[in-house]
Amino acid sequence: MMHAVDVVQVTTPHEDQLLLTVVASAGDTALAAEVLELRAITEQLRRALASRAVIDQARGMVMALTPCSSARAWDLLVDVSQHCNVKLRDVAAALVATAKGEALPEQLQRELRRALRRAHAADRR
């Protein structure tokens, strides 16, 4: 089972609308639009940071299991993600969940094995 990264939302859509209404009634719609845009950017950054932590954990697991560099571990995770058509953060979350006893989905297991074989074959050349 793949897990999404839990992220705390900065504001609710209702709160955003309320802010927009209050600021707009004060006559500064440009300010309201900027505040909403900044809140959206903040939310995107929160998600990116949370995703990055899980991806870095998964990268460390790959590095420990398959003695390789950080860059090679990243490439392996990206390879699995692309071949499975699963977001990188979801591949990483599934791999990290195995440390808590969860099984890695069969498709991810298969693609991880294939990615490792391709990497080892490339190293032998």
Side-chain angles (χ1 to χ4, degrees), residues 45-67:
L45 289 172
R46 285 181 192 277
R47 280 193 211 107
L49 285 172
S51 293
R52 189 58 188 223
V54 171
I55 292 168
D56 286 344
Q57 289 173 358
R59 190 186 319 188
M61 291 174 72
V62 171
M63 290 168 62
L65 296 170
T66 315

Side-chain angles (χ1 to χ4, degrees), residues 4 12 23 28-29 31 37 49 64 67 85 97 109 117 121 124-125:
T12 66
V23 174
D28 199 345
T29 55
L31 176 61
E37 180 182 358
L49 285 172
N85 197 25
Q109 285 181 35
R117 280 196 298 270
R124 284 185 247 144
R125 293 181 198 163

Side-chain angles (χ1 to χ4, degrees), residues 78-86 107 111 115 118:
V78 168
D79 192 22
V80 171
S81 170
Q82 290 175 343
H83 280 88
C84 291
N85 197 25
V86 174
Q107 179 188 25
E111 281 306 323
R118 285 190 295 271

